Amino acid sequence: MQGYIIDIKKVRDDDLIVTILTESQVYTCYRFYGARHSNINIGYKIDFELETNIKSTIPRLKDVIQLSFQWIFDTEKLYCWQRFIKLFHPHLKDVEAIDDFYFNLLDKLVHEMIKQNPKRAICNNYLELLDYEGRLHPDFECFLCESKITKNFSLVRSFVPTHSTCSYSRKFDKKKMEELYLNKNLILFNDSEIEYLWNILLQGL
Ligand SMILES: [Zn+2]
């Protein structure tokens, strides 16, 4: 089966606990250290098998083959990708069965990042994730004062809308915010604004 590595934890010597997001499950598995193993890292897409053993509580990861991306040697793209995909681990904590939306979103994003600026592509796909989880707020109600936002548009963690005067955060014009919340489109946002959204995204999904 195939999946994306969303977390790796080192345990005893060089053994690893690896968390993998597939089309239908989030698996936590154990990889014993061995020189013959292929190199694995956060964000890699892999083909793998799991071996269950009655003696251990978590399955063993084996037969790993890395499925490369076109941009795998582009350090900026890989860095952004890894920072984004790491956020899925706390976000999907305690989740086992999942909808294929997440896997498909990552597949689509890998493809879009061939041509697009990585932060822009990631922020755009994050809007789709928020929409899918019913967490986009096209009603423009300020999270802090609970009144309607008609000017001083801003946003905080999870792109929740606020008045810039309530959250002391960067102000965006109305047209841009409408494009973001209503059309899930960031085309009007310049690179500096994308950088700002990127830093909000890094606070957590
Ligand atoms: Zn407010």
Side-chain angles (χ1 to χ4, degrees):
M1 91 190 110
Q2 298 188 348
Y4 288 93
I5 298 176
I6 60 170
D7 191 59
I8 294 180
K9 271 188 197 70
K10 227 175 203 173
V11 283
R12 276 197 315 178
D13 305 320
D14 283 312
D15 292 353
L16 302 171
I17 303 273
V18 184
T19 308
I20 305 167
L21 187 158
T22 70
E23 262 187 312
S24 59
Q25 295 275 328
V26 178
Y27 291 106
T28 299
C29 47
Y30 198 90
R31 198 186 75 157
F32 289 98
Y33 174 74
R36 288 187 302 120
H37 285 318
S38 58
N39 189 24
I40 59 170
N41 206 340
I42 294 258
Y44 281 10
K45 187 179 186 183
I46 56 170
D47 191 281
F48 66 101
E49 298 292 333
L50 291 176
E51 188 178 76
T52 40
N53 182 327
I54 41 165
K55 281 187 281 181
S56 78
T57 49
I58 65 172
R60 187 183 144 206
L61 176 63
K62 59 174 220 168
D63 298 340
V64 175
I65 300 166
Q66 187 195 342
L67 305 165
S68 193
F69 311 138
Q70 275 192 43
W71 42 261
I72 199 93
F73 298 112
D74 181 323
T75 42
E76 200 219 337
K77 286 187 179 178
L78 183 63
Y79 175 74
C80 292
W81 171 253
Q82 288 180 320
R83 292 200 71 183
F84 176 59
I85 210 164
K86 252 185 206 178
L87 302 171
F88 282 80
H89 186 239
H91 185 62
L92 299 174
K93 193 176 188 301
D94 303 324
V95 170
E96 283 178 12
I98 48 162
D99 195 271
D100 62 5
F101 170 84
Y102 298 93
F103 183 86
N104 293 338
L105 185 87
L106 292 175
D107 264 357
K108 179 167 80 72
L109 179 55
V110 163
H111 186 72
E112 289 174 1
M113 278 174 56
I114 296 171
K115 289 200 174 142
Q116 288 185 36
N117 168 298
K119 292 177 184 172
R120 187 176 284 278
I122 290 169
C123 286
N124 239 322
N125 279 274
Y126 179 52
L127 288 175
E128 288 182 36
L129 185 149
L130 288 173
D131 189 33
Y132 174 77
E133 293 182 348
R135 296 193 291 135
L136 263 185
H137 299 270
D139 52 348
F140 294 105
E141 189 180 279
C142 174
F143 171 65
L144 294 162
C145 74
E146 293 178 5
S147 64
K148 190 97 178 161
I149 307 169
T150 53
K151 58 176 186 176
N152 298 323
F153 289 81
S154 190
L155 72 183
V156 292
R157 184 172 167 167
S158 302
F159 293 4
V160 172
T162 59
H163 293 105
S164 59
T165 44
C166 289
S167 56
Y168 304 104
S169 52
R170 182 166 177 166
K171 192 161 120 183
F172 288 94
D173 71 50
K174 188 180 179 191
K175 183 90 194 106
K176 285 182 186 175
M177 292 306 248
E178 283 175 347
E179 276 294 300
L180 187 154
Y181 289 113
L182 304 175
N183 299 330
K184 290 176 279 166
N185 194 327
L186 297 174
I187 203 146
L188 299 176
F189 288 70
N190 64 36
D191 287 349
S192 142
E193 291 166 329
I194 292 290
E195 187 70 31
Y196 185 82
L197 296 180
W198 168 251
N199 282 307
I200 290 177
L201 187 157
L202 291 179
Q203 294 171 20
L205 298 184

